[in-house]
Amino acid sequence: MASEGRPSDSDKGSLAAISELFDEPARPRGRNRGLISSSAIGLANRGRVLQVLFDLGPTSRAELARHVGVNRATISGIVQPLIDQGILVENDPLPSKESGGKPARPMWFAEDAAPICAVLLMHDSVQCCLVSLDGTITAEARAAFPPDAASVETLAETIYASISQTLKLAHRPPLGIGVAAGGMIDTDNGSIVAVNLAPLLAGFPLGAELTRRFGLTTRVDHHPRALLVGDRWFGIGRGKRNFAVIYTGEVLGGALFLDGHLYRGPAGAGGELGHTFVQVDGGVCRCGRRGCWETIATLGWLRREAEIAGLPSAEVLDSRCLVALVEESAAGAVDLLDRYARNVAIGIANLQQTMAPNFIVLHGDVVGGGPRLLDAIAVHVRELVPWRPGGDIELVMGDLEDRAALKGAAGLVLSELLHFTL
Ligand SMILES: [Zn+2]
């Protein structure tokens, strides 16, 4: 495996070496006569190589060249520096084809490359872990915020302690910190605009604080967008050009991948699906407005309605328990499941009519409801959206435990470091 001129193991993956690699090459003055500079073409090609790797999994140089539409020499020019830095690794050759020729060596992200610290910040807790470039999660830790916290500093100390503990477990200096945060995020500067359930966090410049404290590249984005990146690179959305994710639970959010790109909107303002209106003058939402989708398709609604229907343990009911009650034929459970499914379907139908993502991944509490709830939601979506050519809708379940959000938070950092537009 070793070849001349490669950095030693201690150099591989070092922060200085990697940031040098990731820095945009200096553009030669007066030589950019084409419509697009050669350095921009280089970055675009590198982005496409990485996208093909994430789409196809381990891939040989020849296959990469074919999919990216460039020659082998160009591929080598892109991948060799990444191999030298220990980011990519070429695995053992596959058996030669009968037709002969050089055996292909599939290339993939190195298992022992420097990891990324991923953080999932919700209104009541912070979860941290290390994510390897191939999506493996290790060193998981979770801390709840003190319920009586009176200042944002108290919450921040919990976040810093958790990240610090996780960073210490890394076998080599991590490449950066990726944060998936519930609430409204200004993605231009990594600050939290507002979290309805945790007002103390409003205005907190989390990204800048983490960069200052830990000296690492930090990316902060809206939790559902991290879910989407996790699904796109490491999960069920792999290879898709268009899809959406919806997260339900105590809050409701979503994110969109359109024509091969993550849609953020200016400063991350797009995709506030939970606060699109589904009922004119409906119930009051935590955002202060009325009739938001979040008022009828989250656990708060489900528990209130379960109470009215006289279902047992209504105050802690979730989708999993509701389906269990349906299976026990508890009075009122079938009706409540159907109404909940319809409420979830209404927002999905609006989204489908607006953007036609066609492939919709559900995350969060609804996943606990399993195929019974998924089928009920799908029936309502199909009733609410008229069939049209190109409009076949597929609904699938993502994960219940937010693994995709952690992987996606790491993906956000990787895309930043590689100048690779998601
Ligand atoms: Zn609202």
Side-chain angles (χ1 to χ4, degrees):
M1 291 290 285
S3 65
E4 278 180 56
R6 286 187 59 177
S8 69
D9 271 1
S10 59
D11 288 341
K12 275 203 309 182
S14 79
L15 274 179
I18 283 181
S19 50
E20 198 172 286
L21 168 74
F22 290 152
D23 280 346
E24 209 164 332
R27 293 177 187 191
R29 280 164 198 251
R31 286 172 56 190
N32 294 338
R33 293 211 186 87
L35 284 174
I36 180 167
S37 73
S38 58
S39 68
I41 292 171
L43 286 174
N45 281 341
R46 186 165 68 188
R48 285 160 70 199
V49 165
L50 293 165
Q51 190 65 71
V52 170
L53 279 171
F54 279 118
D55 282 350
L56 302 181
T59 308
S60 69
R61 289 179 194 226
E63 281 290 288
L64 280 174
R66 197 166 66 78
H67 283 275
V68 176
V70 296
N71 62 32
R72 285 280 297 267
T74 303
I75 288 295
S76 291
I78 293 168
V79 300
Q80 198 56 50
L82 296 168
I83 292 172
D84 291 344
Q85 295 299 333
I87 291 170
L88 295 178
V89 67
E90 262 175 325
N91 294 315
D92 293 337
L94 295 171
S96 216
K97 286 181 189 145
E98 276 177 27
S99 54
K102 211 174 162 189
R105 299 181 64 189
M107 191 155 5
W108 189 231
F109 292 91
E111 223 180 297
D112 63 346
I116 292 166
C117 176
V119 180
L120 177 59
L121 177 64
M122 300 308 259
H123 68 275
D124 57 352
S125 65
V126 58
Q127 200 176 332
C128 296
C129 69
L130 297 172
V131 181
S132 69
L133 298 187
D134 66 348
T136 308
I137 289 178
T138 54
E140 280 184 85
R142 190 189 193 108
F145 290 136
D148 54 353
S151 70
V152 69
E153 284 74 26
T154 313
L155 304 185
E157 284 309 322
T158 309
I159 297 169
Y160 302 149
S162 203
I163 292 175
S164 179
Q165 191 189 342
T166 301
L167 290 174
K168 279 187 198 135
L169 296 171
H171 66 290
R172 53 174 41 141
L175 295 174
I177 303 171
V179 184
M184 209 185 284
I185 307 302
D186 180 341
T187 52
D188 282 356
N189 58 24
S191 65
I192 296 171
V193 179
V195 183
N196 290 330
L197 291 174
L200 285 177
L201 286 169
F204 185 56
L206 180 63
E209 283 298 314
L210 293 180
T211 301
R212 191 176 61 80
R213 189 166 281 253
F214 297 105
L216 293 171
T217 295
T218 302
R219 277 306 298 263
V220 183
D221 212 328
H222 192 205
H223 165 240
R225 281 198 283 263
L227 277 173
L228 186 139
V229 174
D231 280 340
R232 178 67 179 78
W233 280 7
F234 304 111
I236 207 158
R238 180 169 269 178
K240 297 272 178 215
R241 294 272 311 159
N242 291 283
F243 75 105
V245 304
I246 304 291
Y247 174 88
T248 76
E250 293 195 42
V251 294
L252 194 159
L256 285 160
F257 195 76
L258 299 172
D259 288 336
H261 288 289
L262 171 65
Y263 182 75
R264 277 199 179 87
E272 290 288 349
L273 298 174
H275 302 284
T276 55
F277 303 117
V278 293
Q279 271 185 331
V280 174
D281 302 328
V284 177
C285 180
R286 274 184 291 237
C287 74
R289 292 160 196 87
R290 283 182 176 275
C292 297
W293 187 19
E294 189 168 298
T295 63
I296 61 161
T298 47
L299 288 171
W301 181 92
L302 187 67
R303 288 168 181 169
R304 277 194 307 279
E305 293 297 315
E307 181 94 52
I308 294 165
L311 290 171
S313 308
E315 68 283 3
V316 291
L317 190 83
D318 59 17
S319 290
R320 188 193 298 274
C321 303
L322 179 59
V323 167
L325 290 172
V326 167
E327 280 161 7
E328 290 163 18
S329 309
V334 172
D335 174 64
L336 182 57
L337 184 87
D338 188 61
R339 288 193 294 133
Y340 190 51
R342 184 163 183 271
N343 288 356
V344 174
I346 283 169
I348 294 174
N350 287 341
L351 179 63
Q352 176 62 27
Q353 294 282 53
T354 313
M355 291 302 197
N358 287 24
F359 187 81
I360 294 143
V361 188
L362 301 175
H363 283 271
D365 169 70
V366 285
V367 179
R372 189 183 282 262
L373 180 55
L374 182 70
D375 291 349
I377 295 169
V379 165
H380 284 295
V381 169
R382 292 196 179 103
E383 269 171 21
L384 292 164
V385 180
W387 185 87
R388 50 152 298 138
D392 286 330
I393 306 162
E394 193 179 349
L395 264 72
V396 297
M397 289 297 198
D399 65 345
L400 185 63
E401 281 143 11
D402 263 329
R403 320 292 292 175
L406 291 166
K407 292 178 188 182
L412 291 167
V413 175
L414 190 61
S415 76
E416 171 87 6
L417 290 171
L418 294 173
H419 303 294
F420 166 40
T421 309
L422 281 163

